[in-house]
Amino acid sequence: MSTNTSAARVAVVTGGSRGIGRAIALALARQGWDVCISYASNAAAADETVKAVQQAGRQALAVQADMASHADIQRLFAACRKTFGRLDALVNNAGVVGGLRSIFDADPAHLREVFDANVLGCFLCAGEAAKAMSTQKGGQGGAIVNMSSVAARTGGMPQEAHYAASKGAVDSLTLALTRELAPHGIRVNAVRPGLIDTSIHEAHGGQATLDKLAPTVPLARVGTVDEVAEVVAFLCGPQSSYMHGALVDVSGGR
Ligand code: NAP
């Protein structure tokens, strides 16, 4: 049963505790959404995001949920249902780079870790969200936004085939779900950021890597988390009602 007294729309944002996910949670809150964010282990960052959403005047809930765990993901959506009583959008944002690893050193455990975080979690969250939002199952329809990367089409940085390939899978999943979920009133799109200033780049050189690559971007700079978040919030809401199956680059022309 809903404990939500407002008629606000509700979004689940995976990996909403830090970086791009936090900015998405805040962009949605500014547009009147309540948000349920998930995180892997950094509870303090998640708490900060919850407080920031509340300061923006909306309700927020943080749930620890490993994207590799179906049980965790089911618990995430159950907690969202219990607190808010509805779901209108899923942002499949959680992800990792997985560091640098040459194909000559391909390792099953490393590949599973990257694909669990970047791909498996997207599949399982999309499944839970579809059950909650499907107009054929008592839901009100909604939107799914998958966080891909320009690496899906460029191949990404050297020694990051694992990352590029995982984001290619996110693009394919997005296109596949447009067909399966349209009859359920659910729109599905993906956003493909380029170089965005977050701590994810600590996995491959941090600020030095960003400084080195910024001049290679046609707009000649790194992007901000807000520049990605505004596009994601647009794709979640009714103003993008005829967008379905779009892979939207937010990359400064890269
Ligand atoms: P970030 O700052 O490192 O934040 C990652 C978020 O994902 C955190 O909330 C983290 O939780 C969560 N997370 C990581 N692994 C997880 C797992 N196994 N299970 C559950 N949650 C997990 O990353 P970001 O730069 O904001 O990236 C967000 C998304 O955008 C990712 O999918 C990334 O691939 C994509 N992207 C980023 C860039 C870029 O330049 N930054 C470019 C293209 C695409 P904790 O806080 O608990 O660790």
Side-chain angles (χ1 to χ4, degrees):
M1 181 183 287
S2 172
T3 55
N4 186 16
T5 50
S6 75
R9 284 171 291 169
V10 174
V12 167
V13 181
T14 68
S17 56
R18 294 189 286 117
I20 294 171
R22 172 182 286 176
I24 293 167
L26 290 170
L28 288 168
R30 285 194 296 275
Q31 294 183 17
W33 294 67
D34 292 335
V35 289
C36 177
I37 64 163
S38 75
Y39 64 98
S41 60
N42 190 337
D47 286 347
E48 269 179 46
T49 305
V50 165
K51 284 193 189 111
V53 169
Q54 290 168 341
Q55 277 163 9
R58 300 310 322 170
Q59 298 183 60
L61 174 72
V63 180
Q64 189 282 330
D66 186 344
M67 290 298 113
S69 163
H70 198 188
D72 280 13
I73 287 169
Q74 288 172 321
R75 185 169 46 73
L76 164 66
F77 282 85
C80 179
R81 188 164 55 244
K82 188 172 173 204
T83 301
F84 297 112
R86 61 183 285 172
L87 184 67
D88 301 275
L90 161 68
V91 183
N92 261 327
N93 167 76
V96 295
V97 164
L100 300 175
R101 185 175 283 266
S102 162
I103 197 68
F104 291 99
D105 299 320
D107 169 65
H110 170 252
L111 288 166
R112 279 194 197 100
E113 188 184 325
V114 173
F115 276 74
D116 279 359
N118 294 1
V119 184
L120 183 86
C122 285
F123 267 85
L124 298 177
C125 288
E128 293 303 312
K131 284 181 216 163
M133 297 193 295
S134 167
T135 49
Q136 294 183 26
K137 297 181 189 294
Q140 300 179 327
I144 295 175
V145 181
N146 293 324
M147 193 59 71
S148 177
S149 165
V150 291
R153 65 170 166 72
T154 66
M157 299 186 203
Q159 301 194 16
E160 287 184 358
H162 47 277
Y163 181 73
S166 74
K167 293 303 185 179
V170 171
D171 281 3
S172 297
L173 173 66
T174 302
L175 297 176
L177 293 186
T178 58
R179 307 197 189 287
E180 189 169 348
L181 294 182
H184 296 265
I186 301 170
R187 294 184 300 110
V188 189
N189 293 288
V191 169
R192 300 197 292 201
L195 272 181
I196 308 299
D197 187 7
T198 75
S199 56
I200 204 170
H201 297 289
E202 282 163 19
H204 53 201
Q207 192 60 45
T209 296
L210 291 177
D211 291 344
K212 190 175 103 189
L213 292 176
T216 69
V217 179
L219 282 185
R221 67 173 175 85
V222 170
T224 69
V225 291
D226 291 331
E227 288 174 310
V228 180
E230 291 298 333
V231 177
V232 174
F234 167 73
L235 289 172
C236 287
Q239 286 173 322
S240 60
S241 53
Y242 201 53
M243 291 188 73
H244 188 50
L247 309 174
V248 183
D249 288 359
V250 184
S251 63
R254 203 152 167 250

